[in-house]
Amino acid sequence: MATYTQELRATAKSMVQSGKGILAMDESNGTCNKRFDALGIPTTEAARQSYRELILTTPGLSDYISGPILYDETIRQTTRDGVPFLKVITDAGMIPGIKVDTGAKNLAGHPGEKVTEGLDGLRDRIAEYYRMGARFAKWRAVITIGDGIPSRACIEANAHGLARYAALCQAGGLVPIVEPEVLIDGSHSLEHCYQVTDETLHAVFAQLYTQGVAYDQMILKPSMVIPGKGSSQQASVEAVAEATVLCLLKNVPATVAGIAFLSGGQTKEQSSAHLNAMNQRFSDRCPWPVTFSYARAIQQPALEHWSGDESRVAEAQQYLLQRAKFNSLASKGEYSSELEKRLALA
Ligand code: 5MM
């Protein structure tokens, strides 16, 4: 059928190869500036370039990362020595990815809810990114749990957008990462999160089916089933791992090439522990590789340590590499909190 079938299958497989995950560094300028602002880092293109160069030139990064997800500004940047970031990535044996959504906007008629935009002109943008060398893409939809929400309108609009995006990507040679994020914000229970994630994944896969998306040529990037940040009833690592795996088993076809979780505001330790528990306890029941596509849970310690100080680049890279390594271990069920304490960098 599609011209790119074999290539898409091979790319998807490499993205979730054993012991590796995906590094989300696709923060839009707004999000990146917000994180920089909090640390007193100048919110300039030069600072964003320096930080992204720090990440991409980390020695050994490709031991744990199959590919980074870039933002439009980043995919066009070079190192300060003039080497295109795309070349740095491919020379290290990693696969370049690109965020192609244009952000979550207010959903008309549904206060407090968002719909992700970016379908207009997407076919041409995909063609350009493919020509540049990108081989996978990402689109994030946001589902908020709150009083009377999510609405069916929000879930269906976002599921439809994700499926249209995924079909366009596959037609243009990019493996789509399909990211329906149920936000951790709120005081909802684990059970409530399960119910919303279940409904969301069900709607997403129904739309993916309707749009003819090939499951073996896509990656799902879900949130974990976890109580809201403000809930008084936090759950054990085992309970989160079990509820998440059960929800995935119920909704995700076995032929999907892989699952790569977002961290969604969990601490770095929680993100590693939850992923680890899923792989340790349920790998024999999961038909897909289960790994990570974290942003904050990999980047935050490095970003904080660097804080815009160029004399700290090498140390910050060690922080980044350590989180990448811990999550690589978690993707094989080989991480432990004991290891975390023993190898703590500071
Ligand atoms: C949920 O956000 C994605 C994963 O990041 P975390 O592991 O930190 O939750 C991430 O790829 C996200 O989409 C980007 O960092 C930010 O995108 P925007 O468009 O919000 O700048």
Side-chain angles (χ1 to χ4, degrees), residues 24 26-28 31 35 69 99 101 138 140 179 181 221 262-265 293-297:
D26 60 315
E27 298 86 357
S28 54
T31 305
R35 304 216 167 121
I69 316 173
K99 181 224 291 295
D101 67 65
K138 196 206 86 171
R140 169 175 172 252
E179 180 178 5
E181 177 178 11
K221 176 165 172 170
L262 59 90
S263 57
S293 173
Y294 296 158
R296 285 162 287 182

Side-chain angles (χ1 to χ4, degrees), residues 193-275:
C193 183
Y194 181 99
Q195 178 216 315
V196 172
T197 307
D198 180 39
E199 189 181 347
T200 301
L201 290 177
H202 183 75
V204 167
F205 278 96
Q207 286 288 338
L208 290 169
Y209 178 84
T210 303
Q211 297 300 328
V213 173
Y215 300 145
D216 61 345
Q217 296 153 49
M218 63 160 274
I219 304 293
L220 178 71
K221 176 165 172 170
S223 41
M224 296 181 194
V225 176
I226 190 167
K229 258 187 177 166
S231 168
S232 53
Q233 298 235 299
Q234 288 303 312
S236 66
V237 169
E238 290 69 30
V240 170
E242 182 170 12
T244 304
V245 169
L246 290 179
C247 199
L248 293 177
L249 285 172
K250 185 173 169 208
N251 290 290
V252 183
T255 48
V256 164
I259 309 281
F261 283 103
L262 59 90
S263 57
Q266 298 179 51
T267 66
K268 57 188 192 306
E269 293 87 359
Q270 282 175 324
S271 308
S272 300
H274 289 146
L275 178 63

Side-chain angles (χ1 to χ4, degrees), residues 30 67 86 88 91 97 105 117 120 187 191 224 258 273 277 279 303 331:
L86 280 166
V88 174
D91 282 357
K105 309 285 162 58
E117 296 186 351
D120 287 353
S187 52
E191 291 72 22
M224 296 181 194
N279 281 297
L303 177 62
S331 75

Side-chain angles (χ1 to χ4, degrees), residues 109-123:
H110 293 83
E113 298 198 284
K114 303 274 184 199
V115 62
T116 301
E117 296 186 351
L119 287 173
D120 287 353
L122 182 56
R123 189 190 309 271

Side-chain angles (χ1 to χ4, degrees), residues 152-164:
R152 197 60 211 166
C154 175
I155 290 177
E156 281 183 15
N158 278 297
H160 180 78
L162 279 165
R164 295 268 311 280

